[in-house]
């Protein structure tokens, strides 16, 4: 069974940093591209970033480019999102998702709140 | 960036109704389109991929069609468990972009 479990969310002050993790199991993690998608509670879905299966290629939404870094450790079956210089508008639930013809399986999400 | 215009943004329908939701892409995305269902407080669930392929385990009352710039999600006979918000997503080119969502409510 495919499982994706995010962790690392929480309350952080504006300008602060946070690293999210997504632990994968039930599939060959190193064979799949992976995504981060976020959602402000009560609002729509917004794609954040994705990373190639071997980590050699990454892409970001303009809103996070230069502040967020996606990475992965295929030996640990874990996806990461390093978030720096956080802003109030980054407050959202962050989901990791596996890619197979687009995002298919999603984790349960982790809430990031940026507030003083 | 490719814009995904989804309509309607909200609708009311009765159990048994045929429901159609549309997504229009601002440029050709071939068939690189997926549809998701999200219920309040829950994780998005993929219903359709590659514009018209039914995700495993999804009831056959859901169907998708279209190619290029015009896409449709159809629920042939709305069931009580189908009341939710539906999103389209294009993954033909970066950045991936979602439609604004369609909230299907009880009439």
């Amino acid at each position: 069974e495919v499982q994706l479990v995010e962790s690392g969310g929480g309350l952080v002050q504006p300008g602060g940093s946070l690293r999210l993790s997504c632990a994968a199991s039930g599939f060959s993690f190193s064979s799949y591209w992976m995504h981060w998608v976020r959602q402000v509670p009560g609002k729509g879905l917004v794609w954040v970033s994705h990373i190639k299966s071997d980590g050699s290629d990454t892409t970001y939404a303009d809103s996070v480019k230069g502040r967020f870094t996606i990475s992965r450790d295929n030996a640990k079956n874990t996806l990461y999102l390093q978030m720096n210089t956080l802003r109030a508008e980054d407050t959202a639930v962050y989901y990791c998702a596996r890619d197979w013809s687009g995002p298919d399986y999603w984790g349960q999400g982790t809430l990031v709140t940026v507030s003083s | 960036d490719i814009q995904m215009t989804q309509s309607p943004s909200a609708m009311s329908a009765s159990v048994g109704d045929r429901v159609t939701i549309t997504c229009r892409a601002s440029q050709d995305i071939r068939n690189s389109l997926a549809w998701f269902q999200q219920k309040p407080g829950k994780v998005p669930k993929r219903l359709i991929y590659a514009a018209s392929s039914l995700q495993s385990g999804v009831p056959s009352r859901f169907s998708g069609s279209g190619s290029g710039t015009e896409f449709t999600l159809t629920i042939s006979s709305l069931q009580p468990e189908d009341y939710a918000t539906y999103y389209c997503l294009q993954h033909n080119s970066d950045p991936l972009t979602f439609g604004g969502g369609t909230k299907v409510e009880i009439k």
Side-chain angles (χ1 to χ4, degrees):
Chain A
E1 178 193 4
V2 173
Q3 284 200 328
L4 296 167
V5 179
E6 300 94 336
S7 60
L11 176 63
V12 61
Q13 292 188 339
S17 298
L18 214 53
R19 188 177 83 156
L20 306 182
S21 299
C22 170
S25 60
F27 65 102
S28 179
F29 179 72
S30 61
S31 299
Y32 290 83
W33 288 62
M34 296 292 295
H35 299 269
W36 287 101
V37 176
R38 68 184 181 184
Q39 184 174 37
V40 175
K43 302 296 184 182
L45 298 165
V46 178
W47 177 81
V48 172
S49 179
H50 67 186
I51 185 168
K52 192 176 178 179
S53 52
D54 63 0
S56 63
D57 187 13
T58 60
T59 308
Y60 300 91
D62 284 347
S63 58
V64 306
K65 202 173 294 183
R67 300 188 299 123
F68 290 12
T69 302
I70 189 172
S71 63
R72 63 193 297 161
D73 185 334
N74 285 345
K76 294 183 177 179
N77 290 342
T78 303
L79 174 73
Y80 302 101
L81 186 67
Q82 177 67 43
M83 304 186 295
N84 298 331
T85 319
L86 281 161
R87 305 166 180 167
E89 55 264 36
D90 295 318
T91 294
V93 175
Y94 285 74
Y95 298 99
C96 65
R98 188 185 77 166
D99 185 281
W100 187 86
S101 189
D104 58 352
Y105 287 93
W106 297 52
Q108 85 288 349
T110 186
L111 177 62
V112 172
T113 302
V114 184
S115 174
S116 54
Chain B
D1 298 0
I2 296 175
Q3 309 303 316
M4 300 301 296
T5 303
Q6 190 173 338
S7 60
S9 57
M11 63 182 300
S12 297
S14 300
V15 172
D17 283 354
R18 183 181 183 88
V19 169
T20 299
I21 299 168
T22 298
C23 256
R24 177 178 292 118
S26 60
Q27 57 188 273
D28 187 349
I29 60 169
R30 302 182 297 175
N31 71 334
S32 300
L33 184 107
W35 290 97
F36 294 87
Q37 175 194 67
Q38 188 178 33
K39 297 180 181 179
K42 300 297 186 182
V43 178
K45 173 186 175 183
R46 193 167 76 171
L47 304 174
I48 301 290
Y49 65 94
S52 60
S53 296
L54 190 68
Q55 185 77 26
S56 176
V58 173
S60 59
R61 63 181 179 273
F62 291 94
S63 64
S65 64
S67 182
T69 62
E70 294 279 341
F71 301 88
T72 300
L73 173 71
T74 300
I75 309 172
S76 60
S77 178
L78 193 69
Q79 298 301 301
E81 60 268 30
D82 299 337
Y83 290 98
T85 300
Y86 294 84
Y87 296 93
C88 63
L89 166 72
Q90 73 79 22
H91 57 93
N92 183 71
S93 62
D94 294 334
L96 279 66
T97 44
F98 288 90
T102 296
K103 187 173 185 179
V104 178
E105 298 177 306
I106 300 173
K107 189 172 187 177

